[in-house]
């Protein structure tokens, strides 16, 4: 089996397999990890840089250069965390709103990664210098459940489960207006906006994205929704809700000014809800997956935090 920090050689036994699938199937690496190595030019086929989708022929020689995990440069910070579950393989954390998941431009410290490094000294290094252990992320102003890997093996297994849609993530969101039907599935590709590069949008050449919505509570000028991710694109829930004309309440990027479009008896109500909501009304409340080592089915729940719960309590009909 292929291991970190070595160059390994594989000999193709049969023709027809894709390069990324063949290397993943004959190693302990996830397909996502293999594709990243191919992109970096670290997988050679008969001495030539391979392409992830190229079809192999029997007898070809594959060289795989696996660099060791990078030494982390992010500093641990003693920041309080809401730990829901923890063992030797992983941590499930209930991230608070306002906390950035990992360091980036403008956020060199104070992130979830900084806090995790102080809490758990043995995070997986696969995510690189800035994203150790991170399997999936939440937007800065989205609260809720995240799973973080503490070992490389757990990271690979969880990342593959995420790719295969075996990790179920449910969100609670308030959206302006009322859906035309419930449940409702949105299947629309997402990519970088052609007009504003800092925004995502539904674009023809974007990446495949599906989201399912179910109405839990009908309010005067908005609804409380349960949202299930079919894929995991950047800002997916927010973009899909904007796309169908029901943006997230309090979303300062994709929902600016939408409360002013609520008419009739609900107009004043919508203005008051907008005044009360402190941030985008989006919370990752349920997380289900199989443990990467034992295979045990795990499910975790985190109810609405106090700031969003207060808004929902006000919005509900008497």
């Amino acid at each position: 089996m292929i291991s970190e920090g070595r160059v390994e050689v594989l000999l193709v036994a049969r023709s027809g397999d894709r390069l990324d699938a063949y290397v993943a199937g004959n190693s302990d690496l996830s397909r996502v990890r293999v594709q990243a190595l191919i992109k970096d030019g670290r997988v050679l086929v008969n001495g030539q840089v391979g392409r992830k989708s190229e079809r192999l022929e029997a007898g070809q020689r594959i060289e795989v250069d696996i660099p060791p995990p990078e030494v982390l440069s992010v500093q641990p910070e003693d920041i309080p965390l809401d730990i829901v579950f923890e063992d030797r393989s992983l941590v499930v954390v209930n991230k608070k709103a306002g906390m950035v998941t990992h360091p980036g431009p403008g956020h060199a410290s104070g992130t979830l990664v900084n806090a995790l490094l102080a809490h758990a000294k043995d995070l997986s290094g696969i995510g690189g210098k800035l994203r150790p252990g991170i399997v999936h992320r939440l937007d800065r102003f989205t609260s809720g459940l995240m799973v973080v890997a503490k070992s490389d093996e757990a990271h690979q297994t969880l990342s593959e489960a995420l790719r295969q849609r075996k990790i179920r993530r449910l969100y609670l969101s308030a959206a302006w207006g009322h859906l035309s039907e419930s449940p409702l599935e949105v299947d629309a590709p997402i990519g970088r906006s052609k007009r504003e590069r800092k925004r995502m949008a539904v674009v023809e050449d974007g990446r495949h994205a599906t989201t399912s919505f179910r109405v839990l509570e009908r309010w005067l000028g908005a609804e409380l929704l349960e949202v299930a991710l079919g894929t995991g694109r950047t800002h997916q829930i927010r973009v899909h809700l904007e796309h169908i004309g029901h943006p997230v309440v309090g979303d300062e990027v994709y929902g600016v000014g939408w409360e002013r479009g609520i008419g009739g008896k609900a107009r004043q109500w919508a203005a008051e809800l907008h005044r009360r909501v402190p941030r985008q009304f989006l919370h990752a409340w349920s997380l289900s997956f199989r443990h990467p080592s034992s295979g045990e089915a795990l499910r975790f729940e985190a109810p609405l935090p106090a700031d969003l719960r207060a808004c929902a309590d006000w919005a509900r009909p008497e």
Side-chain angles (χ1 to χ4, degrees):
M1 288 295 182
I2 293 175
S3 58
E4 301 285 340
R6 296 182 57 186
V7 176
E8 295 283 347
V9 176
L10 299 173
L11 296 177
V12 180
R14 63 181 184 184
S15 300
D17 288 339
R18 281 176 50 125
L19 175 60
D20 56 354
Y22 185 83
V23 174
N26 289 274
S27 71
D28 291 328
L29 303 174
S30 71
R31 193 161 174 174
V32 172
R33 174 70 165 146
V34 171
Q35 290 174 346
L37 292 172
I38 294 173
K39 183 178 180 180
D40 291 342
R42 293 182 176 274
V43 181
L44 306 180
V45 180
N46 286 347
Q48 301 296 317
V49 175
R51 293 173 292 105
K52 67 180 183 181
S53 60
E54 75 173 89
R55 298 293 174 175
L56 300 174
E57 298 179 4
Q60 287 181 317
R61 175 188 174 94
I62 301 174
E63 297 175 61
V64 185
D65 179 11
I66 322 287
E70 297 177 316
V71 177
L72 302 179
S73 59
V74 183
Q75 296 302 311
E77 296 180 38
D78 188 13
I79 302 172
L81 288 172
D82 183 0
I83 302 296
V84 177
F85 174 85
E86 182 175 11
D87 65 9
R88 295 177 60 184
S89 298
L90 57 89
V91 181
V92 176
V93 60
N94 185 13
K95 186 185 83 69
K96 65 180 181 180
M99 175 177 274
V100 176
T101 298
H102 54 74
H107 301 284
S109 62
T111 72
L112 178 64
V113 165
N114 293 106
L116 285 167
L117 287 174
H119 174 79
K121 304 297 190 293
D122 51 352
L123 289 183
S124 164
I126 287 180
K129 293 182 178 180
L130 302 183
R131 305 185 186 186
I134 299 300
V135 177
H136 62 108
R137 60 186 293 274
L138 293 176
D139 296 339
R140 179 182 180 183
F141 294 109
T142 298
S143 54
L145 297 171
M146 293 178 59
V147 59
V148 179
K150 293 174 67 175
S151 70
D152 291 351
E153 293 77 15
H155 202 151
Q156 292 164 359
T157 302
L158 290 169
S159 295
E160 185 66 13
L162 186 68
R163 188 187 70 81
Q164 295 181 4
R165 304 180 188 178
K166 293 181 179 179
I167 296 181
R168 182 167 174 77
R169 293 171 287 168
L170 297 178
Y171 293 72
L172 295 174
S173 180
W176 291 116
H178 301 120
L179 298 189
S180 58
E181 58 184 285
S182 174
L184 173 67
E185 179 168 313
V186 177
D187 186 343
I190 291 177
R192 190 67 58 181
S193 170
K194 308 296 184 186
R195 293 180 297 178
E196 299 178 59
R197 299 303 294 172
K198 292 184 178 181
R199 289 167 50 108
M200 307 302 289
V202 170
V203 293
E204 186 176 349
D205 59 347
R207 301 177 68 188
H208 174 244
T210 60
T211 315
S212 297
F213 301 96
R214 181 170 68 92
V215 176
L216 297 179
E217 297 179 12
R218 185 181 176 92
W219 301 339
L220 186 58
E223 288 175 328
L224 181 65
L225 308 176
E226 181 179 72
V227 186
L229 287 176
T231 52
R233 309 306 176 206
T234 301
H235 299 175
Q236 178 173 316
I237 295 172
R238 299 161 64 194
V239 171
H240 273 174
L241 281 173
E242 180 201 33
H243 177 66
I244 64 174
H246 300 281
V248 174
V249 172
D251 191 332
E252 296 185 353
V253 176
Y254 300 99
V256 175
W258 277 79
E259 74 283 354
R260 295 193 292 271
I262 306 294
K265 296 180 180 180
R267 185 175 183 86
Q268 186 174 351
W269 180 95
E272 180 62 16
L273 177 61
H274 173 70
R275 187 189 70 80
R276 287 172 175 265
V277 70
R279 59 177 171 99
Q280 61 194 32
F281 199 120
L282 189 57
H283 174 69
W285 84 275
S286 177
L287 181 64
S288 305
F289 57 92
R290 290 198 173 275
H291 193 281
S293 298
S294 68
E296 177 187 359
L298 302 175
R299 178 174 179 176
F300 306 97
E301 296 181 357
L304 279 176
D307 59 347
L308 299 186
R309 186 169 63 250
C311 293
D313 288 344
W314 176 88
R316 291 186 178 104
E318 295 183 1

